[in-house]
Amino acid sequence: DQLFENCDLPIHLDIGSARGRFLLKLAHSQQDWNHLGVEIRRSLVVSADRDRDLLGLKNLCFLYCNANVSLDNWLSELPAGLLRRVSIQFPDPWFKRRHRKRRVLQPSLVCSLAASLQPGHELFIQSDLLTVIEPMVQMIEISGCFYRPYDISSGWLAVNPLSCPTERESYVLDQGLPVYRALFSRNSKPIPETADFEAACFQIYDLQ
């Protein structure tokens, strides 16, 4: 209720919202949702907040936040069922092996999202880099908490299920390059044991 005019609307959480232009468009077109962008670069949050205020969007908020440090406490305070959709789009790749521990999708974040999303609620990820998105998909799948609610025999989703592309998505598609997308739904399985899950994830990121 400190973030949104109508705090009863379902929440879409966008992790790594950058300058916020994607959410600015989406919040305007989906006014029956509240939209929250979290971003680790403070200057981008300040700019995004300024644009939101200029547009008068009461269903949109941006927070300066390290998703793997501060987000878990915030999610744990949410009323059950309020978080309906999470998106992680074109995250920083952190190519070097020693930097992979900085990638946004970490075991603790997967568990936090699984704990906050009720069955049927969605987690959407996309990237233009297979080396980034394939480990994300593996991590989500081995958690056991999510399934893909569509036929995956054809591989990646051909169309973005959200109504607005990000700036990066538009740029990549304009270059005639592929975008890799995966949509997951929460199932009813319990959160995995932390130690075993982390060990498996560290193998995916080749951190052991």
Side-chain angles (χ1 to χ4, degrees):
D1 59 357
Q2 297 177 29
L3 300 179
F4 304 111
E5 184 175 69
N6 183 353
C7 60
D8 294 325
L9 294 177
I11 292 176
H12 169 206
L13 170 64
D14 188 54
I15 299 175
S17 54
R19 183 65 171 72
R21 292 193 173 98
F22 158 73
L23 280 184
L24 289 163
K25 292 184 291 184
L26 192 65
H28 178 74
S29 64
Q30 294 186 357
Q31 298 195 23
D32 55 344
W33 285 71
N34 283 326
H35 303 269
L36 175 65
V38 295
E39 171 57 46
I40 199 170
R41 291 164 289 186
R42 187 189 296 272
S43 60
L44 298 185
V45 174
V46 172
S47 297
D49 271 335
R50 182 173 60 246
D51 289 344
R52 177 209 58 195
D53 292 342
L54 288 172
L55 293 171
L57 294 169
K58 304 299 185 181
N59 64 330
L60 174 61
C61 187
F62 295 96
L63 294 178
Y64 167 62
C65 169
N66 183 328
N68 281 291
V69 175
S70 305
L71 197 55
D72 181 60
N73 289 335
W74 185 83
L75 289 171
S76 67
E77 296 295 325
L78 278 182
L82 204 56
L83 182 68
R84 300 279 186 87
R85 183 172 64 209
V86 178
S87 57
I88 305 175
Q89 305 180 79
F90 302 92
D92 290 338
W94 296 111
F95 289 116
K96 293 182 179 180
R97 183 176 180 272
R98 68 178 183 271
H99 292 158
R100 289 176 192 166
K101 61 186 178 181
R102 301 181 186 176
R103 289 184 175 180
V104 65
L105 196 63
Q106 298 292 332
S108 59
L109 183 56
V110 174
C111 291
S112 294
L113 296 178
S116 302
L117 291 166
Q118 291 194 342
H121 296 172
E122 296 177 338
L123 171 59
F124 173 62
I125 61 174
Q126 63 172 337
S127 175
D128 55 327
L129 299 169
L130 281 172
T131 53
V132 171
I133 198 168
E134 285 181 333
M136 294 173 69
V137 168
Q138 292 177 46
M139 190 177 298
I140 294 167
E141 289 181 339
I142 67 172
S143 75
C145 296
F146 297 90
Y147 69 97
R148 289 198 244 185
Y150 57 93
D151 182 7
I152 64 172
S153 61
S154 59
W156 306 100
L157 276 181
V159 178
N160 186 336
L162 304 178
S163 59
C164 299
T166 69
E167 289 180 88
R168 178 66 183 178
E169 184 177 3
S170 296
Y171 171 80
V172 171
L173 294 175
D174 286 346
Q175 304 302 307
L177 299 173
V179 172
Y180 308 102
R181 309 179 182 94
L183 177 67
F184 295 88
S185 287
R186 179 70 168 99
N187 58 31
S188 58
K189 294 183 179 179
I191 310 301
E193 292 292 334
T194 303
D196 292 341
F197 181 48
E198 284 186 348
C201 293
F202 290 156
Q203 287 184 341
I204 291 172
Y205 279 168
D206 192 22
L207 294 179
Q208 288 188 327

